[in-house]
Structures are given as structure tokens and as C-alpha cells.
Amino acid sequence: MKNYNKYILTIAALTCFLAVQGCHPSTEHTPESESASAAEYTPTASSALESDTEKEDSKEAFLVFPNPDMVSQELLRDSEDYVILVESYLEDSSFKPMESSRTDALARQLGGHYEVAGRTDGKGREYYLALRRTDAPVYDDFSSLSVGYTGGSTASEQVCQIEYYNEAIDPVPLYQIPNLSINVFQNGSTVQALDMFCFFPYDSAKDTAFFYALDDSGRLQLEFLNQHPGLSFYREDNDSCISFLYQDQDTVKFCSEPYSCYISLSQKDTDTLKQLLQKPQTGPEIKTSFENHGQILDYMKTVDSSIRTTGAQFSIDGSTYELLGSKNTAGYIISCDESGTGENRFSLEYNPPVFSLIIDKIEEVMGVDYGSFSDTWFDIPLISASLDFPNLTVSEDGTHTFCVQSQTVLDPEKLARLSRLLKQAVDGHESLSACPYVGILNLTREDGESLQMYVANDSCDSITYEGRIGFEYGKQEYLAEIFDNAMSNNRNRE
């Protein structure tokens, strides 16, 4: 079965797309998703296999194309494989072939160049597969495929525009499809990108499980959520939840930045938090009112230089509270209130019980202590540092691919330089930018304690502490001198 990675891009955006994967399936709008346990929708590996077997053994017609003889056998097999794959992640739905009156309408919008079949569960989940006919026009001047959306802010106003760029880099319009989004299965710089499309309602993004199941990146997210049953989907109107940034070897496969995770709060937990927030806490005397977030971070360094953001926050009753702390000092919370004039006022308070409740909830689900940051971590010498770093390479035919290069450093002099570089970073100002933090750096100290950090693999000099707190370490060439093999491409750019 093929790995259905999507390439929805113009020739100008090709390099950027390959360098930064992003955190959502590759449609050009951000999903608004409903809150639900991933376990409700995502099968385990074994159940997915069982689902495949059961469907292959049955004689059900997955896709009913009007003229299947006008499509290559390879595309027919690929489309059926795709159906089996998608629906193995949606075991709570029972899909059937779509009525021809609906698929014929889409076929007409595609100029009769495609055979179209659809699948629907009769409850709002539906998608179409369009396979290019053997008698469809051939574009000898094709250079790259481009897909975009125009229209208003609502789904009913959206129009999917499909065009290609010719060799003179002029756009050539092909199709306009209202109210539907599209997934493209082949590299956008090859004419094969026209062979097969998947269309689905534009507002499908509101149904997170379904939206993710249609896309290779989304399916990886579903698998990740299934591995951590306490996580929930994001829902815009969910007032009671914990959100936190997270990275590991799994998340970097589908999200190049720290991944936003969510834990729904029960009514009992919500009520407890409300009571704790209203209860005065005794603690150090601190300034409580600030004009902006940066002022608080600067002020906290004068209170305790070890304190940083934790990457965790929670929301109740329309208000959001961010946690500040460290391994030695915990309990600080930032909140933001909008005044009647639209200006934000930031408040700082000391509330260890609230802090502990949120930190404990995250550790229960993820096994990670979000209050463990230590600004003295690099005071003990390193004995090992290994880096897995994706380097972008360009083949002779112009294809862009990533090759992960790994390097382990044991040299004491290089390790000492690395410690100084990273110590300087974590002692400085926090900075989490929109960079692809996909280089995995594993550090081990003399006392056996380990730390995982994530290095940006573009031109940024950015790094994250445990994938949740961002810093800048200075010029990238300094890190590339230490990991001269793993970062050879970046070193050559300097």
C-alpha cells in the first residue's frame, strides 16, 4: 500500500513546503475541531489490520466509477487502497458508495476529465475520489500544480481553484470546485499530480477524526493521540481544558513545531480550579499587574532567575492561565484580562495548588514533569551528545528530499563547547519562533541524567528545551562546528 503524502503547492512554494511540514493536514485552512478522546476513533495497529482483512474479504464495492475501463488499473487499485486505509481509522462510521447524481455533478465540474466515485456514512462524513481518464487532455507545458481557495469566510462561499503553471511560469486555470477541499497525492512538480484527487466538504475540518483520517499527516496525529488516551481533540468552544506544547520522535513526523496537546478538564476538576483560584495563597510579595507578557518574564528573572515558562496553560470560563516555574521554584501563574477599551492587562499571581494540579494532570497523561526546567542543567559536564538532523538535498532531476544524518559527539572539548553554547541559550531570553524544530538532540551528563532538545533545521539559531520552551543559541555555525557531519549542509551555507 502506498504512503499517501500530499503535495499541494506551487512551484515557487516547493522548497518551503518541503522544509517546513507544519502541524495540520495539507489543506490550506486551519481545522476547527471537536473535543473527543482519540481512542473513540483511532484503531490500534492490530484493529487496523483486521479492518483491512475484513474489507478485502468482502465483495463490497468500495468505489463505483461510471466507466472504470477509462482509468488505469493502477489508479483503481490505489483508490481502493486509499479507501481501506482511511476507513480503518473511522471504525465508528459505516461508509457506502455515494449516489451517482452527486458524483456526476463533480465529474462535470472537472470537465469530464475524471471518473468520480464517492463514499458517505449518511451522517455528514463523505469524500470523493477523482481518477484521471485515459482520454483526458495532456499538458505538454506542465511545470507544477497549484491549488488554492477563494471566496468568503464561510464554507458555502469557498471555491477550490485548481490550475497549473506552464514552463513560462504562467498560471493555466483548470477547474473551479465550490464548497470542497482537496488532497493531492503526488509531487506537485510532476504531471502525475493530476492523476488522483480526493475531495471532501470544506467544513469537514470541524470533524477532527474524519479530517485527519483523510491525510497522511493527520493519520500520524491520530496514532499519536491513540498512544496517549488522556489527550483530546481541540475544540474552539471548549472552555475547560489544559493545553501544552510537546515534542518527541513521533510528533516531528507530522509537526515541525512544538505540537499543541489538549486535556479536557472534568466538571469536578473545573470546579476545584475555580475554588483554588479564588482562595488567597501566602507566598512571596510580588508585583501583580503588567502591560504585556514580556514585562512579566523580565520581572520574574529579578524574582528568581531560574523561572521560565513551562509550555503549559489552562482555560476555564473564557480565561486562560499560563504556568511559570522551574525545578526549584513553582507556583506562578499569568492571566490576561481584556479591558473595556480592548487593551489587555496581564496579571501575575502565586498559586502552588493550581500549578501542581495542572502539572500533575500533564504528567499523568504524558509521563513528563512540566515543572522540571533547570537553568543549572549544563553546570554538570556532558559525556555524550547525539544529533539526528534532517538535511535538505536536491537530486539531479530537481527533486527535494530530506536525508537524516546522525552524529554522536564524545570529544570532551566539543562537549564543553556545546555545554557553554546551550547554557548561554537557556540563560537568555525565551524565543519560540515558527521554525522547523526537527533536529533531535540527546544529551547525557556525567551523573547519568539526560535531556532532549530540538534544533531548527533551517537557517534559524533556535532550539527547544524538551520541545516546550524556546531559546536562541547564537550563530548556527557554532553548533555546526560541533556536529560537523550531521549539519554539514548547514555549515556549507555559512
Side-chain angles (χ1 to χ4, degrees):
M1 188 178 294
K2 291 190 175 181
N3 183 24
Y4 291 101
N5 290 294
K6 266 67 61 193
Y7 298 84
I8 305 175
L9 36 92
T10 64
I11 189 169
L14 177 61
T15 302
C16 179
F17 175 85
L18 290 167
V20 183
Q21 299 177 44
C23 299
H24 296 289
S26 304
T27 53
E28 298 188 359
H29 51 89
T30 303
E32 297 176 358
S33 310
E34 62 183 5
S35 179
S37 170
E40 292 177 27
Y41 299 106
T42 313
T44 61
S46 60
S47 64
L49 291 174
E50 289 168 4
S51 178
D52 287 359
T53 303
E54 290 170 2
K55 291 184 178 181
E56 288 169 356
D57 288 343
S58 72
K59 299 301 182 182
E60 175 193 1
F62 291 112
L63 298 164
V64 180
F65 294 99
N67 301 288
D69 56 323
M70 294 303 296
V71 177
S72 74
Q73 288 298 310
E74 181 181 5
L75 285 180
L76 289 172
R77 288 193 298 270
D78 288 349
S79 64
E80 185 166 311
D81 286 347
Y82 179 74
V83 167
I84 293 171
L85 178 63
V86 167
E87 295 180 16
S88 72
Y89 285 81
L90 301 168
E91 291 189 323
D92 62 322
S93 293
S94 178
F95 286 86
K96 295 180 179 180
M98 193 179 293
E99 292 182 1
S100 60
S101 59
R102 302 181 64 191
T103 57
D104 289 348
L106 178 56
R108 288 192 294 272
Q109 292 170 340
L110 291 168
H113 302 160
Y114 289 81
E115 288 292 309
V116 178
R119 299 279 289 171
T120 178
D121 71 347
K123 300 176 182 179
R125 290 179 171 178
E126 58 186 44
Y127 62 104
Y128 306 78
L129 285 173
L131 310 185
R132 197 160 183 85
R133 290 168 56 99
T134 54
D135 61 353
V138 176
Y139 309 117
D140 293 328
D141 60 345
F142 180 94
S143 177
S144 65
L145 180 68
S146 174
V147 172
Y149 300 87
T150 62
S153 58
T154 64
S156 61
E157 299 173 312
Q158 292 297 313
V159 176
C160 174
Q161 292 191 322
I162 304 171
E163 60 187 16
Y164 75 88
Y165 283 91
N166 60 24
E167 294 174 349
I169 319 299
D170 296 321
V172 180
L174 293 175
Y175 318 109
Q176 290 191 329
I177 313 297
N179 308 329
L180 295 178
S181 294
I182 185 174
N183 284 346
V184 181
F185 296 92
Q186 298 294 328
N187 190 321
S189 62
T190 67
V191 72
Q192 286 74 30
L194 294 169
D195 286 350
M196 186 165 92
F197 299 144
C198 174
F199 293 96
F200 49 95
Y202 188 87
D203 60 0
S204 293
K206 296 178 180 178
D207 181 353
T208 312
F210 175 64
F211 183 70
Y212 282 7
L214 295 171
D215 179 274
D216 184 68
S217 172
R219 290 188 290 274
L220 289 173
Q221 292 184 63
L222 289 176
E223 291 172 5
F224 171 77
L225 292 170
N226 189 58
Q227 294 169 12
H228 304 280
L231 295 180
S232 61
F233 291 130
Y234 170 70
R235 192 180 73 195
E236 195 171 59
D237 61 352
N238 184 12
D239 280 342
S240 300
C241 72
I242 300 169
S243 60
F244 56 96
L245 300 177
Y246 180 84
Q247 280 188 290
D248 65 12
Q249 291 88 339
D250 292 325
T251 65
V252 296
K253 297 174 185 176
F254 59 79
C255 184
S256 59
E257 301 169 22
Y259 184 60
S260 294
C261 296
Y262 301 89
I263 300 173
S264 293
L265 289 169
S266 67
Q267 187 60 54
K268 179 181 178 181
D269 288 331
T270 300
D271 291 342
T272 299
L273 283 168
K274 290 179 180 179
Q275 293 172 5
L276 292 174
L277 286 168
Q278 294 172 358
K279 185 177 180 181
Q281 301 291 325
T282 58
E285 290 189 11
I286 55 173
K287 182 180 176 182
T288 59
S289 182
F290 299 83
E291 293 182 359
N292 57 62
H293 188 271
Q295 282 186 353
I296 296 180
L297 297 186
D298 289 340
Y299 170 73
M300 288 308 297
K301 283 206 168 187
T302 67
V303 175
D304 187 326
S305 62
S306 73
I307 293 176
R308 302 290 185 276
T309 63
T310 61
Q313 60 184 28
F314 67 97
S315 300
I316 54 173
D317 288 344
S319 297
T320 299
Y321 303 84
E322 181 183 2
L323 275 57
L324 300 179
S326 67
K327 186 175 182 179
N328 298 324
T329 305
Y332 292 93
I333 298 172
I334 299 175
S335 60
C336 177
D337 296 313
E338 286 191 14
S339 65
T341 60
E343 296 181 355
N344 293 336
R345 293 296 302 179
F346 291 82
S347 299
L348 177 68
E349 62 181 288
Y350 181 70
N351 197 319
V354 169
F355 186 97
S356 296
L357 191 155
I358 301 300
I359 294 297
D360 290 347
K361 287 285 184 183
I362 297 175
E363 186 166 10
E364 180 182 334
V365 174
M366 306 302 297
V368 179
D369 180 3
Y370 269 56
S372 64
F373 172 82
S374 173
D375 65 336
T376 62
W377 199 91
F378 293 98
D379 291 352
I380 297 176
L382 298 174
I383 60 169
S384 174
S386 62
L387 177 64
D388 297 325
F389 196 80
N391 284 284
L392 186 65
T393 61
V394 184
S395 61
E396 293 182 359
D397 63 358
T399 302
H400 293 71
T401 57
F402 274 121
C403 177
V404 176
Q405 293 178 266
S406 301
Q407 182 179 358
T408 298
V409 173
L410 302 174
D411 177 74
E413 189 274 330
K414 283 189 173 182
L415 292 173
R417 272 196 286 150
L418 179 61
S419 283
R420 290 194 296 271
L421 187 68
L422 297 179
K423 170 66 173 175
Q424 176 181 312
V426 300
D427 282 345
H429 289 285
E430 295 183 36
S431 176
L432 189 59
S433 53
C435 296
Y437 296 94
V438 292
I440 303 175
L441 176 61
N442 288 294
L443 307 168
T444 305
R445 301 190 314 197
E446 286 183 350
D447 61 355
E449 189 169 331
S450 61
L451 174 66
Q452 193 165 71
M453 305 184 82
Y454 293 82
V455 183
N457 77 323
D458 58 358
S459 59
C460 295
D461 58 353
S462 301
I463 195 166
T464 66
Y465 185 101
E466 293 185 336
R468 57 189 177 89
I469 311 171
F471 299 99
E472 293 181 353
Y473 57 83
K475 293 185 178 180
Q476 193 180 82
E477 64 182 279
Y478 298 154
L479 191 63
E481 287 173 357
I482 297 170
F483 294 99
D484 51 344
N485 293 327
M487 299 179 67
S488 57
N489 286 10
N490 293 61
R491 190 180 184 188
N492 293 334
R493 286 206 300 256
E494 298 294 338

